[in-house]
Amino acid sequence: MKIVFWLFLVISVCSCKPYAGVVRYALSEENVPYSKAVIANGILYASGQLGINPKTKLLQPDLDSQTRQIMDNLRILLEQHHSDMKDLIKVNIYLKDISQLKEVNEIYTSYLSERRPARTSVQINALPLGALIEIDCIALAK
């Protein structure tokens, strides 16, 4: 019986793989200590996005334009990795003022198909650069 157990254990350990696929890192152009996205085992993990216009490098002035810019930035990031909004699995929304969630929802849903990802929305005390909203996501990578 002990021999069967040890044989099973050795076979199990030897057949385990630390990663089932390749891990890729999408580095930021900015000098920041994180990647824009990491893809591991067919899943894309996007870092939090602020409403910064990538051409001007400026934060948009209000919640509406910050939310639209974030959703555009996420769409572009997903497309760069051969994915799209239909592949979203989980979204986290961080708001400076949770009472503005209804306004965010109207913009957010306009970017989605009928397939809606799981989502968490929370109010937080402060965001980088004085932003009003930040969004990160997890999506299938193709």
Side-chain angles (χ1 to χ4, degrees):
M1 192 64 150
K2 285 184 179 182
I3 292 174
V4 172
F5 170 77
W6 285 108
L7 183 59
F8 175 76
L9 182 63
V10 168
I11 291 170
S12 297
V13 169
C14 291
S15 65
C16 287
K17 298 177 186 175
Y19 299 104
V22 174
V23 177
R24 296 182 314 207
Y25 298 87
L27 301 176
S28 285
E29 295 85 30
E30 300 86 30
N31 187 21
V32 292
Y34 60 85
S35 298
K36 284 198 298 191
V38 174
I39 300 167
N41 301 325
I43 305 293
L44 180 142
Y45 301 87
S47 292
Q49 300 288 311
L50 299 177
I52 297 174
N53 182 314
K55 291 178 182 161
T56 65
K57 307 290 188 213
L58 296 175
L59 183 66
Q60 297 294 337
D62 55 50
L63 181 64
D64 181 272
S65 56
Q66 285 184 29
T67 304
R68 289 181 194 286
Q69 186 67 63
I70 289 169
M71 296 304 290
D72 288 339
N73 293 349
L74 284 173
R75 183 178 40 77
I76 291 166
L77 181 65
L78 291 170
E79 288 172 358
Q80 288 172 341
H81 297 284
H82 312 289
S83 193
D84 61 40
M85 295 295 208
K86 290 182 223 159
D87 296 316
L88 287 172
I89 298 168
K90 176 77 166 91
V91 173
N92 295 309
I93 298 177
Y94 309 95
L95 282 165
K96 182 100 164 101
D97 182 356
I98 199 73
S99 72
Q100 296 176 311
L101 185 59
K102 183 177 180 182
E103 180 182 345
V104 169
N105 280 338
E106 289 174 13
I107 298 165
Y108 170 82
T109 55
S110 72
Y111 282 81
L112 300 177
S113 67
E114 291 180 14
R115 291 176 52 186
R116 305 290 167 91
R119 191 180 89 182
T120 300
S121 301
V122 296
Q123 178 172 313
I124 60 171
N125 198 24
L127 288 165
L129 305 176
L132 303 172
I133 184 170
E134 181 173 359
I135 301 176
D136 64 31
C137 70
I138 300 170
L140 293 174
K142 299 176 185 170

